[in-house]
Amino acid sequence: DGGITQSPKYLFRKEGQNVTLSCEQNLNHDAMYWYRQDPGQGLRLIYYSQIVNDFQKGDIAEGYSVSREKKESFPLTVTSAQKNPTAFYLCASSRRSTGDVDTGELFFGEGSRLTVL
Amino acid sequence: GESVGLHLPTLSVQEGDNSIINCAYSNSASDYFIWYKQESGKGPQFIIDIRSNMDKRQGQRVTVLLNKTVKHLSLQIAATQPGDSAVYFCAERSAGGTSYGKLTFGQGTILTVHP
């Protein structure tokens, strides 16, 4: 079945360590996104990529890095520079709009919960 | 409506009742709106969307209403079921930007359905 797969589902990190969260999609979507979700809050955009080998900072990119070497994959690295990394991280993808077909609908993965010890 | 701080708005209903979840958006230039449902520990799932040239759109058991005058969006769920219990988010997309789904999300409303 088509979808978005995030791994790991749970991750524990010591302070000062970098960690990488995986996101893979087989929906043939051009655009991919990383969001951060904190308790009681909405989703905040970290990074997004509209096409392979290109990505843009979102609203809270500091302390994070991404790469988009393949259409299917958009890994997120949480670096030691991120001061408060404990959160639920969500990866999403969407189709590129073509002609009259235009949707902003995002398809989300199941999320990765990162806890800093 | 939208929450302040860390306390999400909550809505408790009895099974079979109709539910109305509200969302106030901030950008009058937004041209597209989506409602998502998020169950505990999972990613959000698409429920229904509406474009700014529409006032109402109906799906299966759900209706979205858009009032651009007061920048208000609502989600109506008919005959609410226990499986509808979740956090519901509205999202808006600003017109003039890309069409690749770069959305701004509200803080969410917790819906609890009692049997």
Side-chain angles (χ1 to χ4, degrees), chain B residues 20 28 35 42 47 59 61 78 88-89 92 97 101-102 109 112 115:
Chain B
I20 300 176
S28 58
W35 279 99
K42 295 187 176 181
I47 301 174
R61 275 202 313 120
Y88 289 81
F89 292 97
E92 61 180 304
K102 185 171 176 286
T109 296
T112 302

Side-chain angles (χ1 to χ4, degrees), chain B residues 61-78:
Chain B
R61 275 202 313 120
V62 295
T63 301
V64 55
L65 298 177
L66 176 62
N67 185 331
K68 295 181 287 295
T69 302
V70 296
K71 292 187 287 187
H72 184 267
L73 194 67
S74 69
L75 176 70
Q76 300 178 0
I77 304 174

Side-chain angles (χ1 to χ4, degrees), chain B residues 37-50:
Chain B
K37 171 187 179 183
Q38 186 178 24
E39 297 176 351
S40 180
K42 295 187 176 181
Q45 291 179 296
F46 172 87
I47 301 174
I48 192 168
D49 59 1
I50 188 168

Side-chain angles (χ1 to χ4, degrees), chain A residues 56-110:
Chain A
Q56 308 294 330
K57 291 183 179 180
D59 302 317
I60 55 166
E62 185 175 351
Y64 299 98
S65 65
V66 293
S67 63
R68 187 85 188 276
E69 297 177 2
K70 298 186 300 181
K71 186 176 184 178
E72 304 80 23
S73 178
F74 191 41
L76 173 74
T77 296
V78 184
T79 75
S80 57
Q82 170 50 237
K83 299 304 179 187
N84 185 21
T86 294
F88 189 51
Y89 291 88
L90 286 159
C91 180
S93 69
S94 69
R95 288 188 283 146
R96 174 188 288 263
S97 65
T98 53
D100 293 333
V101 177
D102 178 9
T103 176
E105 180 188 348
L106 296 178
F107 292 80
F108 284 89
E110 292 289 277

